[in-house]
């Protein structure tokens, strides 16, 4: 067996395997001998079929199978020995006709090589790291929402500004017949709002779907139609009012605090505000951290320049799926996946240069234990023993999908911490509304 690599350029190469008869003959002959012992062919006693007949009938199929096994083993061994960092898998160079009666064979495989490059995590341009401040106004709004949620409904006959209405939207042509309950302040525009204010139970309001709600997504939700259909829908609907209610806010007392957090956990309005501020801070931190991770990732992709073996990868994509793709389809798939591939290579480069970022099995087990304990606490099991947790973790570690999910989560957390410590960041304190507007152009 002779195997060698010929570089086309820094990113593309061909691996050539020269297979001689000595590489496969012994194994092929052994299998043919075994076949002869067990073959059942009419006209011959079992074990007495002529070797020439067995050879004629089975040799080519056995030879092809054994050479394919030999190729796979030699390719894998060579790639491991040479420590080749491949993109995709080796692609066989097509041969029109292979003469399986020959003694010697030559096979060629195209390979795509990962590029060599350096990653500058710090970068030249600072990335904004948002910090959402939980100001008094935000806490006041949250308390009002919770008090309404836990408050009492008071039935009414006439609709006023802050009331909640229940009714039925109808349009026979569009097959709309949907029960809905919503607050009047969700209605958009003075013209539509005026139709609700002063209306009574039993009244039928004539409305237009276009611009009916402050939030576009509410149209699909309340009319119970697909989002695609709701987008740009401009048809008349009637809304027949069946119920009018005002919501009397819950009192800020111990009964209210206990409903929210359990008996005697919170004992005053000040403690409630502090708890809400703490919970909001954690929630906001998750959102700002995700935004930071996205921005750092995008920045690294944009600023880390390297070439890819694009033609090879398109060819590999075309031949690697369940169904073979055309060149045009493969090119489209490559365009969709290129950014993700670039970041995978960048992240791999960072992990290689920073051993402490690489996941270890014990770390993953500890991470799983922490998650299990948190979940148990949410269900009131606050005193779980190590043995109980370990049993659950052991079951989880046998689930490949769960292990993959946790590995990705933990890796993201480690990368985020690394970026916070090493990337060039500028902190910016904002309200939640400012964050949504700036971060997502909302």
């Amino acid at each position: 067996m002779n195997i060698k690599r010929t570089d086309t350029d820094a990113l593309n190469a061909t691996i050539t395997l020269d297979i001689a008869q000595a590489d496969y003959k012994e194994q092929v002959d052994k299998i043919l001998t075994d076949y002869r012992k067990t073959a059942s062919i009419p006209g011959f006693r079992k074990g007495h079929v002529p070797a020439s007949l067995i050879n004629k009938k089975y040799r080519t199929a056995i030879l092809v199978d054994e050479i394919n096994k030999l190729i796979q083993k030699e390719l894998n061994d060579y790639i491991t020995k040479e420590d080749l960092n491949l993109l995709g898998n080796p692609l066989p160079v097509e041969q029109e006709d292979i003469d399986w009666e020959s003694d010697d064979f030559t096979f060629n495989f195209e390979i795509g090589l990962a590029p060599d490059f350096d990653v500058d995590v710090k970068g030249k341009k600072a990335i904004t790291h948002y910090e959402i401040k939980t100001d008094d106004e935000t806490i006041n709004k949250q308390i009002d929402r919770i008090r309404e949620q836990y408050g009492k409904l008071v039935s009414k006959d006439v609709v006023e500004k802050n009331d909640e209405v229940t009714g039925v939207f109808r349009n026979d042509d569009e097959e709309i017949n949907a029960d809905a309950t919503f607050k009047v302040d969700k209605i958009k525009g003075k013209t539509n709002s005026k139709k609700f204010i002063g209306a009574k139970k039993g009244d039928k309001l004539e409305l237009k779907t276009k611009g009916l709600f402050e939030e576009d997504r509410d149209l699909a939700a309340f009319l119970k139609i697909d989002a695609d259909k709701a987008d740009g829908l401009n048809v008349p609907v009637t809304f027949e009012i069946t119920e009018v209610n005002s919501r009397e806010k819950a009192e800020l007392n111990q009964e209210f605090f206990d409903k929210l957090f359990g008996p005697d956990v919170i004992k005053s309005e000040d403690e409630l505000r502090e708890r809400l501020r703490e919970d909001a801070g954690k929630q906001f931190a998750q959102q700002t951290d995700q935004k930071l991770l996205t921005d750092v990732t995008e920045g690294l992709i944009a600023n880390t320049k390297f070439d890819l073996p694009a033609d090879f990868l398109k060819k590999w994509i075309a031949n690697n799926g369940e169904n073979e793709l055309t060149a045009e389809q493969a090119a489209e798939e490559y365009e969709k996946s290129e950014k993700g591939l670039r970041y995978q290579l960048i992240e791999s480069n960072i992990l290689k240069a920073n051993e402490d970022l690489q996941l270890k099995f014990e770390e993953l087990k500890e991470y799983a234990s922490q998650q299990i304990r948190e979940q148990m606490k949410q269900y009131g099991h606050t005193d779980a023993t190590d043995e109980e947790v370990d049993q659950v973790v052991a079951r989880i570690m046998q689930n490949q999908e769960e292990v993959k999910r946790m590995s990705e989560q933990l890796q993201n957390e480690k990368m985020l911490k690394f970026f916070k410590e090493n990337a060039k960041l500028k902190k910016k304190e904002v309200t939640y509304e400012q964050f949504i507007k700036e971060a997502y152009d909302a």
Side-chain angles (χ1 to χ4, degrees), residues 260-417:
L260 291 179
F261 299 102
D264 296 326
V265 176
I266 301 294
K267 296 182 180 179
S268 68
E269 182 178 346
D270 286 342
E271 288 184 13
L272 173 65
R273 288 178 175 277
E274 187 57 36
R275 175 62 179 265
L276 292 177
R277 198 182 301 276
E278 179 184 327
D279 289 349
K282 291 178 182 176
Q283 184 179 354
F284 291 156
Q286 289 178 351
Q287 291 179 268
T288 55
D289 281 351
Q290 184 56 53
K291 174 62 177 168
L292 177 63
L293 189 59
T294 300
D295 289 346
V296 171
T297 298
E298 293 287 343
L300 286 171
I301 292 170
N303 299 321
T304 307
K305 304 298 182 184
F306 55 84
D307 293 326
L308 292 169
D311 291 340
F312 169 82
L313 289 171
K314 290 172 188 175
K315 190 185 298 186
W316 180 74
I317 289 170
N319 292 278
N320 197 52
E322 291 183 9
N323 300 310
E324 191 170 336
L325 303 180
T326 65
E328 292 76 14
Q329 290 171 328
E332 286 179 14
E333 288 300 315
Y334 174 75
E335 292 299 324
K336 291 177 187 175
S337 61
E338 184 184 358
K339 280 179 68 173
L341 173 58
R342 286 184 176 276
Y343 184 67
Q344 284 179 21
L345 291 170
I346 291 168
E347 185 179 70
S348 178
N349 186 300
I350 294 171
L351 292 175
K352 202 170 183 179
N354 298 272
E355 191 175 336
D356 57 320
L357 290 177
Q358 297 171 22
L359 292 186
K360 299 175 181 64
F361 183 72
E362 289 304 318
E363 280 183 319
L364 193 58
K365 279 184 64 178
E366 178 59 29
Y367 183 73
S369 297
Q370 291 171 2
Q371 287 200 329
I372 294 304
R373 288 187 186 279
E374 288 300 319
Q375 289 175 9
M376 287 180 166
K377 285 179 184 177
Q378 290 176 10
Y379 291 99
H381 193 5
T382 57
D383 56 351
T385 65
D386 290 343
E387 185 180 358
E388 288 175 317
V389 175
D390 288 345
Q391 287 176 352
V392 178
V393 170
R395 288 198 300 270
I396 288 175
M397 298 305 283
Q398 293 175 2
N399 185 320
Q400 289 186 350
E401 288 298 317
E402 276 297 300
V403 170
K404 180 182 177 185
R405 181 187 64 80
M406 287 192 303
S407 297
E408 289 173 352
Q409 284 183 345
L410 180 55
Q411 189 68 78
N412 280 344
E413 289 183 17
K414 295 185 78 167
M415 293 300 292
L416 178 65
K417 183 174 183 291

Side-chain angles (χ1 to χ4, degrees), residues 150-169:
Y150 284 84
K152 293 188 296 185
L153 285 177
V154 179
S155 180
K156 299 175 61 178
D157 293 320
V158 181
V159 180
E160 294 184 83
K161 184 178 180 181
N162 294 315
D163 288 344
E164 188 174 279
V165 293
T166 297
V168 184
F169 282 108

Side-chain angles (χ1 to χ4, degrees), residues 235-247:
V235 297
V237 289
T238 61
F239 181 73
E240 182 178 356
I241 300 174
T242 57
E243 259 186 73
V244 181
N245 294 293
S246 64
R247 194 171 282 274

